[in-house]
């Protein structure tokens, strides 16, 4: 890299710290001593990427192998991107400053659908051909992992292989195969064929897809003995997985500016809208003792004064009280703040509220998701209005004065009454606060409701449903706005247009790759940011591809239809999803996995009973 040019560019962009590397925890190796160069690529800004736990874990596990050097790259922000394009500077890895095209493997993480165009932009900026079919022997292998791989198909044309499921050992296993293939002198195709034999690897070029006249997928045809479907990798013993207690410490402020310990993987609840709750099953947890030790090391190795517990539902941890007690035994004295997202409102006991209040004074967040009990039953949220109000009461009596509630709009079976009930529930919380004699004196309450647009996702019981549509969501947003009159309640929305494109990319098939390519060539990048997203651009990209946006995003799907994501197997059986869908339509709830197994199928997939040793 031309250092003079690089310094000139850095002087002209906002936040140059995004582009220089050199953070505490960075790993450098001698290029001549290693056998494989891997670049972990995060398709969003540095601040978002460095907040993602996957990067910390995989950076650590890949670099623990002496034969591999794993570096990092992020999507340059608009100003840097323009400078790089103007000067012909290729995208480079932060550690070595070498171009991404010099690497053996580029490993992108697909954390959310609206980052897909950034993957194309990062390849383009590295002068790596966008289409997998156009890459030659000298080009890197482009791999993708992360939760969106549960429907990899919209990205299938651009990706050489997908890592499905838990990555801690999978990424290293694939690198091991690639090293052996290099040593044997195998070509690109032969190498991908070898990789496809690793449990949890999907190589899309080894599958042909045929379509029915009505546009639906007819069948997947595996080639050259490729497995069908491809099973995701599951690590059953998360307690013993390597965890980076010497993580990278960003040298600028990032979105989640604190280290995290991963408390749980998977979820017992079965909320029917929640893709993460199904694709990370079975429920696995780390022992309180392990977590306390990891937390202590993390804080002392990094110098942070805040720690986050990461999980889908922290309050379901079987050793929650010992865990909190163990952490509080030193965090209070050392003035370390504990951040406890994902606490269920029905698990918020007065004792726990009191303990947590000792270290935390900001507001509380509750995921109510829907305004009426009927709709909460439809989505299997499993909490009642009474749970929510009593959780708020405990919190107010412990000194809290602000509550944030998360809701969704556009849920299956939702009526206008359900929408207005969001406002009514917020009002009940305001009224509750003022009815309490022992509320915090002289302070007013603030209730904020964040209302997102529900997007039906693969591997959930609502995969058969369509997105509610932009006009309908706008109508419902207006209805709710008019229904709420208290100034103690603030409402915020997610954008309905963005949701439509997210639904397209979440449920699309391989042909949707044409849309992605059109959108990218027309300037689409940073689609999850207001600065980047243009609905008109996406509409045009769909039109130019000769496809139908509503066919993908809004169409209801029959149980018999072959879905594009059936080429991969995340362990949740379709028969279970159908049963759950039918129960949802009748507003019937399903008990959580600890109370009763509902036969989702993951236990057969993993060869063990989920709660046999719990
Ligand atoms: S197999 Fe049963 S207990 Fe295990 S995750 Fe599925 S529903 Fe829950």
């Amino acid at each position: 890299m031309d250092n003079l040019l690089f310094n000139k560019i850095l002087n002209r962009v906002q936040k140059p710290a995004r582009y220089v590397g050199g953070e505490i925890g960075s790993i450098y190796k001698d290029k001549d001593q290693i056998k494989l160069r891997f670049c972990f690529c995060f398709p969003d800004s540095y601040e978002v990427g460095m907040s993602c736990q996957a990067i910390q874990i995989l950076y650590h596990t890949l670099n623990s192998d002496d034969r591999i050097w794993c570096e990092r790259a992020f999507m340059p922000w608009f100003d840097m991107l323009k400078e790089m394009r103007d000067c012909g500077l290729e995208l480079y890895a932060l550690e070595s400053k070498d171009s991404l095209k010099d690497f053996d493997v580029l490993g992108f993480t697909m954390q959310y659908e609206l980052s897909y165009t950034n993957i194309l932009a990062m390849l383009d900026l590295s002068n790596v051909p966008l289409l997998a079919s156009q890459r030659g022997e000298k080009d890197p292998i482009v791999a993708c992992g992360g939760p969106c791989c549960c429907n990899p198909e919209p990205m299938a044309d651009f990706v050489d292989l997908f890592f499905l499921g838990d990555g801690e050992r999978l990424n290293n296993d694939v690198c091991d195969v690639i090293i052996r293939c290099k040593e044997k002198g195998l070509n690109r195709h032969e190498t991908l064929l070898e990789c496809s034999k690793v449990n949890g690897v999907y190589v899309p070029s080894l599958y042909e897809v045929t379509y029915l006249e009505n546009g639906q997928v007819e069948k997947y045809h595996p080639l050259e003995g490729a497995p069908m479907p491809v099973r995701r990798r599951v690590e059953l013993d998360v307690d013993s997985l390597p965890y980076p207690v010497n993580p990278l410490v960003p040298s600028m402020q990032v979105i989640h500016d604190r280290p995290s310990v991963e408390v749980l993987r998977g979820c017992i609840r079965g909320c029917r809208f929640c893709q993460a709750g199904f694709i990370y099953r079975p429920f696995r947890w780390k022992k309180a003792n392990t977590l306390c030790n990891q937390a202590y090391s993390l804080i002392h190795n990094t110098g942070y004064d805040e720690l986050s517990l990461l999980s889908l539902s922290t309050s379901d941890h079987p050793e929650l009280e010992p865990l909190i007690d163990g952490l509080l035994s030193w965090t209070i004295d050392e003035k370390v703040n504990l951040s406890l997202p994902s606490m269920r409102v029905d698990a918020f006991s007065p004792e726990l509220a009191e303990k947590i209040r000792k270290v935390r004074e900001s507001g509380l967040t509750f995921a109510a998701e829907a305004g009426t009990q009927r709709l909460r039953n439809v989505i299997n949220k499993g909490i009642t209005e009474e749970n929510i109000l009593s959780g708020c009461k405990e919190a107010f009596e412990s000194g809290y004065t602000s509550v944030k509630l998360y809701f969704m709009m556009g849920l299956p079976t939702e009526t206008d009454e359900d929408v207005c009930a969001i406002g009514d529930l917020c009002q009940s919380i305001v009224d509750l606060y003022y009815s309490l004699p022992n509320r915090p004196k002289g302070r007013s309450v603030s209730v904020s409701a964040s209302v997102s647009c529900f997007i039906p996702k693969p591997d959930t019981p609502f995969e058969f449903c369509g997105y509610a549509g932009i006009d309908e969501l706008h109508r419902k947003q207006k209805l709710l706005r008019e229904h709420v009159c208290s100034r103690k309640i603030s409402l915020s929305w997610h954008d309905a247009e963005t949701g439509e494109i997210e639904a397209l990319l979440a449920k699309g098939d391989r042909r949707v790759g044409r849309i992605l390519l059109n959108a990218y060539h027309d300037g689409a990048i940073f689609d999850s940011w207001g600065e980047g997203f243009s609905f008109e651009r996406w509409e045009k990209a769909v039109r130019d591809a000769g496809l139908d946006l509503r066919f993908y995003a809004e169409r209801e799907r029959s149980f018999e239809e072959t879905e594009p994501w059936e080429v991969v197997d995340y362990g949740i059986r379709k028969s279970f999803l159908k049963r759950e869908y039918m129960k949802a339509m009748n507003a019937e709830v399903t008990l959580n996995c600890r109370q009763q197994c509902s036969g989702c199928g993951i236990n057969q997939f993993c060869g063990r009973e989920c709660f046999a040793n719990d």
Side-chain angles (χ1 to χ4, degrees), residues 343-358 360 362-366 385-403 428-429 432-440 445:
M343 292 292 282
R344 282 182 68 89
V345 68
D346 50 345
F348 209 75
S349 68
E351 296 75 25
L352 196 58
E354 180 54 29
K355 282 178 185 169
I356 295 166
R357 197 181 62 82
K358 286 182 190 160
R360 199 187 129 111
S362 55
L364 277 177
T365 57
F366 294 131
E385 181 156 336
E386 199 188 337
N387 293 145
I388 296 169
L389 293 177
S390 70
C392 290
K393 179 170 179 283
E394 311 291 0
F396 292 149
E397 289 179 339
S398 307
Y400 287 90
T401 56
S402 72
V403 177
S428 304
I429 295 171
L432 168 77
Y433 180 83
Y434 288 106
S435 72
L436 296 173
N438 49 351
R439 65 178 181 268
V445 70

Side-chain angles (χ1 to χ4, degrees), residues 267-268 281-283 576 593 596-603 610-611:
C267 186
I268 62 171
R281 281 184 174 194
F283 181 79
F576 163 79
C593 296
Q596 187 184 331
C597 173
S598 52
C600 73
I602 195 74
N603 54 348
C610 293
F611 292 97

Side-chain angles (χ1 to χ4, degrees), residues 47 91 100 171 215 225 264 276 293 295 319 321 466 499 504 508 539 567 582 591 596 605-606:
E47 294 94 312
L91 185 60
L100 263 55
N171 288 25
L264 300 172
N293 290 338
E319 298 177 347
E321 298 268 349
L504 159 77
E539 275 190 310
V567 68
M582 295 307 294
L591 295 177
Q596 187 184 331
F605 186 86
C606 301

